[in-house]
Amino acid sequence: MELDERIYREICDLSQEGDQYLDDDNFELAEKKYLEALDLIPKPKTEWEASTWLYVALGEVYFFPSKYLEAISFFSEALKCPEGLGNPLINLRMGQCYYELGNYGSAKGYLLKAYMVEGKEIFEGEDDKYIKFVAQIR
């Protein structure tokens, strides 16, 4: 299924605004823009590809300021969306959130999934503790 072109453009515009706010660490305004975009997607939201990247973006709104439980809720929704399950970034972020919450069993599963799809490249630019953790459990 494809979204109406006008609605899709509006979603993209709102998402780009959200991305700019996220880049500027303005998490509140980023969240607002992403939620506005998500509201434009018909239900069930998990059937639309645009929902995948909007849920990921919302997860990152919470991931970067270390609000890991909230981040997990959005990343979990992204996993239910098209191409979400095998998405290495979603698995990386889920693993990082669980790691930071001390749930190393769940962290291991998600981080290994990310590693298996993308290799060590998925960990570039991330704290070294995550790749070291994966290296210990391989």
Side-chain angles (χ1 to χ4, degrees):
M1 294 189 301
E2 290 192 20
L3 292 167
D4 173 80
E5 184 64 32
R6 183 189 58 77
I7 292 173
Y8 183 76
R9 277 195 311 267
E10 192 171 345
I11 290 168
C12 289
D13 290 345
L14 288 165
S15 181
Q16 287 176 347
E17 288 179 59
D19 291 347
Q20 186 58 55
Y21 287 126
L22 186 62
D23 289 345
D24 295 339
D25 294 338
N26 190 333
F27 304 116
E28 187 176 316
L29 286 177
E31 177 187 33
K32 182 178 184 245
K33 293 299 176 181
Y34 294 139
L35 288 173
E36 283 179 43
L38 192 61
D39 283 343
L40 296 174
I41 297 175
K43 293 181 180 179
K45 298 200 183 296
T46 55
E47 291 187 7
W48 301 93
E49 187 178 318
S51 294
T52 309
W53 41 269
L54 286 169
Y55 282 126
V56 169
L58 284 160
E60 294 207 327
V61 162
Y62 288 96
F63 175 79
F64 290 117
S66 304
K67 296 179 180 179
Y68 301 114
L69 285 174
E70 294 91 337
I72 287 171
S73 69
F74 286 111
F75 291 130
S76 293
E77 287 302 305
L79 286 172
K80 299 175 195 173
C81 295
E83 301 187 29
L85 200 54
N87 184 298
L89 177 61
I90 299 170
N91 283 296
L92 172 69
R93 292 289 188 244
M94 289 286 286
Q96 289 171 314
C97 288
Y98 280 117
Y99 180 94
E100 296 302 332
L101 293 169
N103 183 338
Y104 300 116
S106 293
K108 174 175 118 175
Y110 285 107
L111 291 172
L112 279 174
K113 285 179 192 174
Y115 179 83
M116 290 171 73
V117 174
E118 287 287 316
K120 65 181 182 178
E121 292 80 23
I122 190 73
F123 294 93
E124 289 177 8
E126 304 296 330
D127 191 308
D128 285 346
K129 65 185 172 186
Y130 303 115
I131 190 66
K132 288 178 183 175
F133 179 70
V134 169
Q136 292 174 349
I137 54 179
R138 290 195 302 138

